[in-house]
Every structure is written in C-alpha cells, then in structure tokens.
Amino acid sequence: GCARDWDGLTCWPRATFGEVVKVPCPRFFEEITNIHGSFLQRNCTQEAYWSEPFPPYTVACGFDEGSSKGPEDQKSYYSAFWRVYTAGYAASVTSLITALIVFAAFRKFHCTRNYIHMHLFVSFILRAIAVFTKDAVLFADETMDHCLMSTVSCKVAVAFFQFSILANFFWLLIEGIYLQTLLLLTFVSDKQYVWWFIFTGWGAPTAVMFAWVLTRIHQQNTGCWDDDENGVVLWVIKGPILLTVLINFIIFINVIRILVHKLKSQEGGGSHSNHFVRLAKSTLLLIPLFGVHYIVFAFFPESTGLEVRLYIELGLGSFQGFVVALLYCFSNAEVSSK
C-alpha cells in the first residue's frame, strides 16, 4: 500500500491499495480563516501513489488562495513570535542566574526566605531551558517528516518541558504557603519547614510527571507526546496545575485578610514587620500574575483562543522569570544596599 506521508501540512497515515483516508483540516487554518474546516481525503491508488487531497485544502478548510494571509504568512508570524519569546527567555535566564549568584555569594542572604526564592529561580531557569530544548529537538529541522517523528529524545524533551511547567507552579504555591506560614506562625522557626517545602516543590512535580508518562505510554503513545491529548491524559497535568492555582488564590485572599488585620491592630513593628510587608507585596503580585490566565483557559479546548494563548503563555510568559528576579532580588532594598 501507501506509506505514511507528510505533505507539509498534514500527516497521512499508512493505507492499503484502494483505501480512502479521511483526516481533519490542520488546526492552524482555523486561526487564519476563523472557519471550522471539514475533512480532507486521499486515495491510495493501485500504483502505490497517493492521490491529490480532495476536496483541496482551499475548499475543505475554507482557505482562499487569493487571501493576503496564507500559510507562508502564518509561518512568518510564528517565526517572529519565536524570536520574541526566545529573547524573553534569554533575558529571564540571564537575570535569574545573576540573582542566584547574588543570593549565594553573600552570607547575609542565606535564609529560608531566599532559599525558597532560589528554588523558584531554578524552576524558571529549567522552564527556559526546556523551551529551548523542545524547539531544538522538534522544530529545528524544517524538512523533518512529522509523520515518522516519534523518538525517545523528542518524548524526553516534551516530558522535561511539562515537568518544568509543573515545578514552576508548585514553587509559586510554596511561595504562597511560606508567606502564609510566616504571617500565622510568627514565633515559630521557619527553618523546620524548609525541607518539607523542598520535598513538595520538586517531589510533587516528579510524581505527577511519572504518572503522566505512564498514562501517555498506555493511553496515547503517539508522536512526540506534543499532540492534542485526550481527557484523561490532559488532566493528569492540567489537574494538579489548576489545583495549585486555586489553592494559591485562596492563600491570596487569606493573606490579604491577615495583613489588613495586622495593620489595623498595629501588631508587630519595626524591620520585622517591614520584612513581611515587602515579601507580601512581591508574592501577592506574582500569584494573580501567574495564575489568572491559567484559570481563564483551563476549561476551554486547547484550540480555543490559540493566538491569545500564544501571546500570554509564550510572549508575556517568557518574561516572567525576569519579573521574578526583579521583584525578589533586584528591587530588594537589602540587595540594593549591597
């Protein structure tokens, strides 16, 4: 019969002689035309050649060849977008590594608060490295046949990417929990909690990642694991992330309530109180900054608002590491005084 075929737009699966194969329109056409396309078909001829797609892409996917916004324009758009988020992640990595060096170099900054910040920095660095690795493995070679691409290396790259996202959200949750712990347990040494924080911040994402990999292998072991996931596989990753965002939102409300109460009662004072206020300002800013968009998109299909998702998750998201370094390190009065 006919072998798998990548025509530059769609992957056509292997077929027997005389078989007619039916596949949906590529999803990116919908972003171009705002039209939900129908199906394409190809026939595997007796000569073991694939026929031309029918109806053609222009008809089945609602795409007008005379349109000024075609696949090449879309490709150029994504290329420009790639340059933006690459610059964003590069700026984030540079600033985060600098912040790590500052916190590690001076003994004055060796405390539980900054140790937790440093782990958050590392999670952002891993996220940037994961994005660069994923791009290099999956998209560096434009001539690559995406029908046949299902290697261990590309699956590892995608799994590492998912782990870095999980670690990011879990360490943001740790920041929120730590802030609430400081406010509630003022007279208890916070050092006793640090190992629990580290265990949770890295252990929980690792456990979820193993569950996702096993589910992928047994439920949907297709391609490079970067395709659209079915419900069960999708929520193995999305569920824990959404849970961390919701818990952080509850912490966000509770911390504001505690701070308002403390300020009204003038409880505590001096540098100790100022330290809480500074930490609270940084953490309370990060919680909505990192979580709101995830809640907005969580319950919609992955194809919904793809262009908006790209702007938020890649365009703006690539600079989040820089914002974190700015809030927790470079705008810190203690660091500035050094």
Side-chain angles (χ1 to χ4, degrees):
C2 300
R4 287 192 182 98
D5 181 52
W6 170 255
D7 65 1
L9 295 171
T10 301
C11 180
W12 296 87
R14 186 181 290 107
T16 58
F17 292 127
E19 183 181 355
V20 177
V21 176
K22 187 178 180 181
V23 298
C25 277
R27 195 173 68 189
F28 76 85
F29 272 111
E30 190 172 339
E31 295 298 317
I32 298 173
T33 62
N34 293 319
I35 297 173
H36 185 67
S38 59
F39 286 85
L40 299 152
Q41 299 182 76
R42 287 178 86 181
N43 181 34
C44 177
T45 66
Q46 292 294 336
E47 294 79 21
Y49 290 113
W50 282 106
S51 68
E52 290 297 316
F54 61 91
Y57 281 98
T58 54
V59 176
C61 305
F63 174 67
D64 180 9
E65 283 184 324
S67 170
S68 60
K69 190 178 181 184
E72 286 302 316
D73 299 290
Q74 193 77 350
K75 183 178 178 181
S76 175
Y77 166 77
Y78 285 131
S79 178
F81 208 83
W82 171 82
R83 286 192 287 271
V84 171
Y85 77 72
T86 298
Y89 279 118
S92 292
V93 169
T94 304
S95 58
L96 288 165
I97 290 176
T98 304
L100 280 174
I101 292 172
V102 169
F103 281 161
F106 298 98
R107 290 184 59 84
K108 178 182 178 181
F109 302 131
H110 292 187
C111 61
T112 302
R113 179 183 80 248
N114 288 337
Y115 290 152
I116 291 175
H117 295 343
M118 290 168 76
H119 282 279
L120 181 64
F121 295 169
V122 171
S123 75
F124 272 101
I125 293 171
L126 289 179
R127 181 171 178 170
I129 293 172
V131 169
F132 293 145
T133 303
K134 183 182 175 185
D135 283 354
V137 173
L138 270 69
F139 308 117
D141 185 359
E142 293 185 2
T143 65
M144 188 176 293
D145 186 343
H146 288 270
C147 291
L148 302 176
M149 190 175 182
S150 184
T151 62
V152 172
S153 61
C154 75
K155 290 176 180 178
V156 169
V158 172
F160 176 47
F161 173 76
Q162 296 284 23
F163 171 79
S164 69
I165 300 294
L166 282 164
N168 232 184
F169 279 97
F170 271 97
W171 273 105
L172 183 63
L173 175 61
I174 297 298
E175 289 280 359
I177 292 173
Y178 175 69
L179 174 61
Q180 183 169 257
T181 302
L182 282 180
L183 293 172
L184 291 174
L185 305 175
T186 308
F187 300 107
V188 177
S189 173
D190 54 16
K191 291 182 180 180
Q192 63 183 295
Y193 297 103
V194 69
W195 287 110
W196 285 107
F197 289 149
I198 293 172
F199 178 77
T200 303
W202 296 114
T206 302
V208 173
M209 181 48 47
F210 273 117
W212 181 77
V213 169
L214 291 174
T215 308
R216 259 292 189 176
I217 291 171
H218 294 289
Q219 296 278 340
Q220 195 178 354
N221 192 13
T222 56
C224 282
W225 296 352
D226 65 326
D227 52 352
D228 290 339
E229 298 172 321
N230 64 39
V232 176
V233 178
L234 179 65
W235 282 98
V236 171
I237 292 285
K238 183 179 282 189
I241 291 177
L242 188 60
L243 181 63
T244 65
V245 172
L246 291 174
I247 294 173
N248 247 346
F249 181 73
I250 295 170
I251 291 173
F252 176 77
I253 300 299
N254 193 42
V255 166
I256 290 177
R257 182 187 63 80
I258 295 171
L259 283 174
V260 169
H261 175 74
K262 282 182 177 289
L263 290 173
K264 282 184 177 179
S265 63
Q266 295 297 315
E267 189 176 304
S271 61
H272 196 58
S273 178
N274 291 334
H275 150 68
F276 284 154
V277 172
R278 287 198 304 271
L279 180 60
K281 284 180 179 178
S282 300
T283 306
L284 292 178
L285 180 61
L286 288 181
I287 288 173
L289 180 67
F290 282 43
V292 171
H293 77 275
Y294 198 88
I295 293 177
V296 170
F297 288 120
F299 299 102
F300 291 98
E302 292 295 302
S303 58
T304 302
L306 184 59
E307 198 159 323
V308 177
R309 284 176 185 258
L310 285 174
Y311 276 113
I312 295 176
E313 294 182 5
L314 285 178
L316 298 178
S318 62
F319 289 93
Q320 285 179 336
F322 173 77
V323 173
V324 168
L326 188 66
L327 286 173
Y328 282 140
C329 181
F330 303 127
S331 64
N332 189 316
E334 295 175 350
V335 174
S336 301
S337 65
K338 264 313 195 183

PDB file of all heavy atoms in Angstrom, residues 109-131:
ATOM      1  N   PHE A 109      22.360  36.913  52.825  1.00  0.00           N
ATOM      2  CA  PHE A 109      21.119  36.491  52.167  1.00  0.00           C
ATOM      3  C   PHE A 109      20.821  35.009  52.372  1.00  0.00           C
ATOM      4  O   PHE A 109      19.890  34.487  51.763  1.00  0.00           O
ATOM      5  CB  PHE A 109      21.191  36.801  50.666  1.00  0.00           C
ATOM      6  CG  PHE A 109      21.420  38.253  50.365  1.00  0.00           C
ATOM      7  CD1 PHE A 109      22.405  38.637  49.460  1.00  0.00           C
ATOM      8  CD2 PHE A 109      20.672  39.231  50.983  1.00  0.00           C
ATOM      9  CE1 PHE A 109      22.621  39.978  49.185  1.00  0.00           C
ATOM     10  CE2 PHE A 109      20.884  40.579  50.715  1.00  0.00           C
ATOM     11  CZ  PHE A 109      21.859  40.953  49.815  1.00  0.00           C
ATOM     12  N   HIS A 110      21.635  34.318  53.198  1.00  0.00           N
ATOM     13  CA  HIS A 110      21.409  32.892  53.423  1.00  0.00           C
ATOM     14  C   HIS A 110      20.338  32.702  54.508  1.00  0.00           C
ATOM     15  O   HIS A 110      20.633  32.677  55.704  1.00  0.00           O
ATOM     16  CB  HIS A 110      22.717  32.205  53.838  1.00  0.00           C
ATOM     17  CG  HIS A 110      23.721  32.151  52.742  1.00  0.00           C
ATOM     18  ND1 HIS A 110      24.914  31.459  52.845  1.00  0.00           N
ATOM     19  CD2 HIS A 110      23.725  32.697  51.496  1.00  0.00           C
ATOM     20  CE1 HIS A 110      25.598  31.587  51.721  1.00  0.00           C
ATOM     21  NE2 HIS A 110      24.904  32.338  50.891  1.00  0.00           N
ATOM     22  N   CYS A 111      19.097  32.624  54.069  1.00  0.00           N
ATOM     23  CA  CYS A 111      17.977  32.430  54.987  1.00  0.00           C
ATOM     24  C   CYS A 111      16.897  31.632  54.266  1.00  0.00           C
ATOM     25  O   CYS A 111      16.943  31.476  53.040  1.00  0.00           O
ATOM     26  CB  CYS A 111      17.421  33.770  55.477  1.00  0.00           C
ATOM     27  SG  CYS A 111      16.792  34.816  54.151  1.00  0.00           S
ATOM     28  N   THR A 112      15.939  31.125  55.033  1.00  0.00           N
ATOM     29  CA  THR A 112      14.892  30.275  54.454  1.00  0.00           C
ATOM     30  C   THR A 112      14.135  30.992  53.348  1.00  0.00           C
ATOM     31  O   THR A 112      13.832  30.409  52.295  1.00  0.00           O
ATOM     32  CB  THR A 112      13.903  29.831  55.548  1.00  0.00           C
ATOM     33  OG1 THR A 112      14.625  29.134  56.570  1.00  0.00           O
ATOM     34  CG2 THR A 112      12.832  28.921  54.972  1.00  0.00           C
ATOM     35  N   ARG A 113      13.821  32.256  53.569  1.00  0.00           N
ATOM     36  CA  ARG A 113      13.075  33.033  52.575  1.00  0.00           C
ATOM     37  C   ARG A 113      13.787  33.028  51.229  1.00  0.00           C
ATOM     38  O   ARG A 113      13.186  32.721  50.190  1.00  0.00           O
ATOM     39  CB  ARG A 113      12.905  34.469  53.080  1.00  0.00           C
ATOM     40  CG  ARG A 113      12.160  35.380  52.119  1.00  0.00           C
ATOM     41  CD  ARG A 113      12.085  36.800  52.640  1.00  0.00           C
ATOM     42  NE  ARG A 113      13.313  37.549  52.424  1.00  0.00           N
ATOM     43  CZ  ARG A 113      14.138  37.960  53.373  1.00  0.00           C
ATOM     44  NH1 ARG A 113      13.908  37.642  54.632  1.00  0.00           N
ATOM     45  NH2 ARG A 113      15.213  38.659  53.084  1.00  0.00           N
ATOM     46  N   ASN A 114      15.092  33.315  51.247  1.00  0.00           N
ATOM     47  CA  ASN A 114      15.840  33.388  49.991  1.00  0.00           C
ATOM     48  C   ASN A 114      16.128  32.012  49.409  1.00  0.00           C
ATOM     49  O   ASN A 114      16.269  31.871  48.188  1.00  0.00           O
ATOM     50  CB  ASN A 114      17.135  34.168  50.201  1.00  0.00           C
ATOM     51  CG  ASN A 114      16.890  35.657  50.394  1.00  0.00           C
ATOM     52  OD1 ASN A 114      15.850  36.173  49.971  1.00  0.00           O
ATOM     53  ND2 ASN A 114      17.812  36.343  51.047  1.00  0.00           N
ATOM     54  N   TYR A 115      16.244  30.990  50.259  1.00  0.00           N
ATOM     55  CA  TYR A 115      16.405  29.635  49.734  1.00  0.00           C
ATOM     56  C   TYR A 115      15.188  29.245  48.895  1.00  0.00           C
ATOM     57  O   TYR A 115      15.322  28.630  47.823  1.00  0.00           O
ATOM     58  CB  TYR A 115      16.578  28.629  50.875  1.00  0.00           C
ATOM     59  CG  TYR A 115      17.902  28.729  51.610  1.00  0.00           C
ATOM     60  CD1 TYR A 115      18.012  28.353  52.948  1.00  0.00           C
ATOM     61  CD2 TYR A 115      19.042  29.200  50.969  1.00  0.00           C
ATOM     62  CE1 TYR A 115      19.218  28.453  53.632  1.00  0.00           C
ATOM     63  CE2 TYR A 115      20.251  29.300  51.638  1.00  0.00           C
ATOM     64  CZ  TYR A 115      20.334  28.928  52.964  1.00  0.00           C
ATOM     65  OH  TYR A 115      21.528  29.030  53.628  1.00  0.00           O
ATOM     66  N   ILE A 116      14.008  29.599  49.383  1.00  0.00           N
ATOM     67  CA  ILE A 116      12.786  29.295  48.626  1.00  0.00           C
ATOM     68  C   ILE A 116      12.760  30.101  47.326  1.00  0.00           C
ATOM     69  O   ILE A 116      12.411  29.573  46.260  1.00  0.00           O
ATOM     70  CB  ILE A 116      11.539  29.587  49.491  1.00  0.00           C
ATOM     71  CG1 ILE A 116      11.471  28.570  50.629  1.00  0.00           C
ATOM     72  CG2 ILE A 116      10.265  29.532  48.648  1.00  0.00           C
ATOM     73  CD1 ILE A 116      10.362  28.827  51.624  1.00  0.00           C
ATOM     74  N   HIS A 117      13.160  31.370  47.403  1.00  0.00           N
ATOM     75  CA  HIS A 117      13.246  32.180  46.185  1.00  0.00           C
ATOM     76  C   HIS A 117      14.199  31.534  45.170  1.00  0.00           C
ATOM     77  O   HIS A 117      13.914  31.503  43.966  1.00  0.00           O
ATOM     78  CB  HIS A 117      13.759  33.588  46.507  1.00  0.00           C
ATOM     79  CG  HIS A 117      12.840  34.402  47.355  1.00  0.00           C
ATOM     80  ND1 HIS A 117      11.514  34.098  47.535  1.00  0.00           N
ATOM     81  CD2 HIS A 117      13.065  35.541  48.080  1.00  0.00           C
ATOM     82  CE1 HIS A 117      10.953  35.000  48.325  1.00  0.00           C
ATOM     83  NE2 HIS A 117      11.882  35.881  48.678  1.00  0.00           N
ATOM     84  N   MET A 118      15.318  31.023  45.661  1.00  0.00           N
ATOM     85  CA  MET A 118      16.319  30.427  44.762  1.00  0.00           C
ATOM     86  C   MET A 118      15.774  29.194  44.057  1.00  0.00           C
ATOM     87  O   MET A 118      16.047  28.969  42.873  1.00  0.00           O
ATOM     88  CB  MET A 118      17.593  30.093  45.558  1.00  0.00           C
ATOM     89  CG  MET A 118      18.365  31.335  46.006  1.00  0.00           C
ATOM     90  SD  MET A 118      19.673  30.986  47.212  1.00  0.00           S
ATOM     91  CE  MET A 118      20.921  30.265  46.145  1.00  0.00           C
ATOM     92  N   HIS A 119      14.987  28.386  44.771  1.00  0.00           N
ATOM     93  CA  HIS A 119      14.372  27.223  44.127  1.00  0.00           C
ATOM     94  C   HIS A 119      13.369  27.666  43.056  1.00  0.00           C
ATOM     95  O   HIS A 119      13.270  27.037  41.997  1.00  0.00           O
ATOM     96  CB  HIS A 119      13.680  26.347  45.173  1.00  0.00           C
ATOM     97  CG  HIS A 119      14.627  25.493  45.949  1.00  0.00           C
ATOM     98  ND1 HIS A 119      15.134  24.297  45.463  1.00  0.00           N
ATOM     99  CD2 HIS A 119      15.177  25.642  47.184  1.00  0.00           C
ATOM    100  CE1 HIS A 119      15.932  23.756  46.359  1.00  0.00           C
ATOM    101  NE2 HIS A 119      15.984  24.546  47.408  1.00  0.00           N
ATOM    102  N   LEU A 120      12.636  28.740  43.329  1.00  0.00           N
ATOM    103  CA  LEU A 120      11.719  29.285  42.315  1.00  0.00           C
ATOM    104  C   LEU A 120      12.505  29.765  41.104  1.00  0.00           C
ATOM    105  O   LEU A 120      12.098  29.532  39.953  1.00  0.00           O
ATOM    106  CB  LEU A 120      10.902  30.436  42.914  1.00  0.00           C
ATOM    107  CG  LEU A 120       9.872  31.091  41.980  1.00  0.00           C
ATOM    108  CD1 LEU A 120       8.786  30.100  41.597  1.00  0.00           C
ATOM    109  CD2 LEU A 120       9.261  32.327  42.632  1.00  0.00           C
ATOM    110  N   PHE A 121      13.655  30.417  41.352  1.00  0.00           N
ATOM    111  CA  PHE A 121      14.508  30.859  40.244  1.00  0.00           C
ATOM    112  C   PHE A 121      14.942  29.663  39.390  1.00  0.00           C
ATOM    113  O   PHE A 121      14.908  29.724  38.155  1.00  0.00           O
ATOM    114  CB  PHE A 121      15.764  31.568  40.782  1.00  0.00           C
ATOM    115  CG  PHE A 121      15.509  32.854  41.506  1.00  0.00           C
ATOM    116  CD1 PHE A 121      16.527  33.457  42.236  1.00  0.00           C
ATOM    117  CD2 PHE A 121      14.263  33.463  41.490  1.00  0.00           C
ATOM    118  CE1 PHE A 121      16.309  34.648  42.917  1.00  0.00           C
ATOM    119  CE2 PHE A 121      14.031  34.648  42.175  1.00  0.00           C
ATOM    120  CZ  PHE A 121      15.058  35.237  42.892  1.00  0.00           C
ATOM    121  N   VAL A 122      15.365  28.593  40.059  1.00  0.00           N
ATOM    122  CA  VAL A 122      15.829  27.402  39.334  1.00  0.00           C
ATOM    123  C   VAL A 122      14.696  26.817  38.478  1.00  0.00           C
ATOM    124  O   VAL A 122      14.915  26.397  37.341  1.00  0.00           O
ATOM    125  CB  VAL A 122      16.359  26.331  40.311  1.00  0.00           C
ATOM    126  CG1 VAL A 122      16.628  25.019  39.586  1.00  0.00           C
ATOM    127  CG2 VAL A 122      17.632  26.831  40.985  1.00  0.00           C
ATOM    128  N   SER A 123      13.478  26.820  39.009  1.00  0.00           N
ATOM    129  CA  SER A 123      12.347  26.283  38.232  1.00  0.00           C
ATOM    130  C   SER A 123      12.116  27.110  36.975  1.00  0.00           C
ATOM    131  O   SER A 123      11.774  26.568  35.920  1.00  0.00           O
ATOM    132  CB  SER A 123      11.076  26.238  39.095  1.00  0.00           C
ATOM    133  OG  SER A 123      10.503  27.515  39.283  1.00  0.00           O
ATOM    134  N   PHE A 124      12.313  28.423  37.054  1.00  0.00           N
ATOM    135  CA  PHE A 124      12.166  29.265  35.868  1.00  0.00           C
ATOM    136  C   PHE A 124      13.304  29.044  34.876  1.00  0.00           C
ATOM    137  O   PHE A 124      13.090  29.076  33.654  1.00  0.00           O
ATOM    138  CB  PHE A 124      12.095  30.742  36.270  1.00  0.00           C
ATOM    139  CG  PHE A 124      10.703  31.210  36.580  1.00  0.00           C
ATOM    140  CD1 PHE A 124      10.278  31.344  37.880  1.00  0.00           C
ATOM    141  CD2 PHE A 124       9.810  31.489  35.557  1.00  0.00           C
ATOM    142  CE1 PHE A 124       9.000  31.765  38.173  1.00  0.00           C
ATOM    143  CE2 PHE A 124       8.526  31.908  35.839  1.00  0.00           C
ATOM    144  CZ  PHE A 124       8.113  32.050  37.146  1.00  0.00           C
ATOM    145  N   ILE A 125      14.502  28.837  35.391  1.00  0.00           N
ATOM    146  CA  ILE A 125      15.635  28.542  34.504  1.00  0.00           C
ATOM    147  C   ILE A 125      15.390  27.225  33.768  1.00  0.00           C
ATOM    148  O   ILE A 125      15.617  27.121  32.552  1.00  0.00           O
ATOM    149  CB  ILE A 125      16.950  28.494  35.307  1.00  0.00           C
ATOM    150  CG1 ILE A 125      17.299  29.894  35.845  1.00  0.00           C
ATOM    151  CG2 ILE A 125      18.099  27.957  34.449  1.00  0.00           C
ATOM    152  CD1 ILE A 125      18.454  29.910  36.827  1.00  0.00           C
ATOM    153  N   LEU A 126      14.909  26.211  34.500  1.00  0.00           N
ATOM    154  CA  LEU A 126      14.592  24.927  33.874  1.00  0.00           C
ATOM    155  C   LEU A 126      13.521  25.092  32.808  1.00  0.00           C
ATOM    156  O   LEU A 126      13.562  24.453  31.756  1.00  0.00           O
ATOM    157  CB  LEU A 126      14.123  23.920  34.928  1.00  0.00           C
ATOM    158  CG  LEU A 126      15.177  23.376  35.890  1.00  0.00           C
ATOM    159  CD1 LEU A 126      14.537  22.418  36.890  1.00  0.00           C
ATOM    160  CD2 LEU A 126      16.297  22.668  35.128  1.00  0.00           C
ATOM    161  N   ARG A 127      12.534  25.951  33.076  1.00  0.00           N
ATOM    162  CA  ARG A 127      11.461  26.176  32.105  1.00  0.00           C
ATOM    163  C   ARG A 127      12.012  26.757  30.807  1.00  0.00           C
ATOM    164  O   ARG A 127      11.627  26.328  29.715  1.00  0.00           O
ATOM    165  CB  ARG A 127      10.412  27.116  32.712  1.00  0.00           C
ATOM    166  CG  ARG A 127       9.229  27.398  31.799  1.00  0.00           C
ATOM    167  CD  ARG A 127       8.147  28.151  32.543  1.00  0.00           C
ATOM    168  NE  ARG A 127       7.022  28.472  31.698  1.00  0.00           N
ATOM    169  CZ  ARG A 127       5.876  28.960  32.141  1.00  0.00           C
ATOM    170  NH1 ARG A 127       5.716  29.174  33.440  1.00  0.00           N
ATOM    171  NH2 ARG A 127       4.892  29.237  31.321  1.00  0.00           N
ATOM    172  N   ALA A 128      12.912  27.725  30.924  1.00  0.00           N
ATOM    173  CA  ALA A 128      13.509  28.331  29.732  1.00  0.00           C
ATOM    174  C   ALA A 128      14.355  27.309  28.975  1.00  0.00           C
ATOM    175  O   ALA A 128      14.269  27.208  27.742  1.00  0.00           O
ATOM    176  CB  ALA A 128      14.365  29.530  30.129  1.00  0.00           C
ATOM    177  N   ILE A 129      15.160  26.538  29.718  1.00  0.00           N
ATOM    178  CA  ILE A 129      15.984  25.500  29.079  1.00  0.00           C
ATOM    179  C   ILE A 129      15.094  24.477  28.377  1.00  0.00           C
ATOM    180  O   ILE A 129      15.394  24.019  27.268  1.00  0.00           O
ATOM    181  CB  ILE A 129      16.889  24.811  30.117  1.00  0.00           C
ATOM    182  CG1 ILE A 129      17.935  25.791  30.645  1.00  0.00           C
ATOM    183  CG2 ILE A 129      17.570  23.575  29.529  1.00  0.00           C
ATOM    184  CD1 ILE A 129      18.743  25.252  31.819  1.00  0.00           C
ATOM    185  N   ALA A 130      13.969  24.127  29.012  1.00  0.00           N
ATOM    186  CA  ALA A 130      13.051  23.145  28.430  1.00  0.00           C
ATOM    187  C   ALA A 130      12.445  23.646  27.123  1.00  0.00           C
ATOM    188  O   ALA A 130      12.280  22.883  26.162  1.00  0.00           O
ATOM    189  CB  ALA A 130      11.944  22.806  29.429  1.00  0.00           C
ATOM    190  N   VAL A 131      12.112  24.941  27.080  1.00  0.00           N
ATOM    191  CA  VAL A 131      11.556  25.524  25.848  1.00  0.00           C
ATOM    192  C   VAL A 131      12.600  25.490  24.735  1.00  0.00           C
ATOM    193  O   VAL A 131      12.303  25.100  23.599  1.00  0.00           O
ATOM    194  CB  VAL A 131      11.080  26.972  26.103  1.00  0.00           C
ATOM    195  CG1 VAL A 131      10.756  27.675  24.788  1.00  0.00           C
ATOM    196  CG2 VAL A 131       9.853  26.974  27.001  1.00  0.00           C
TER     197      VAL A 131
END
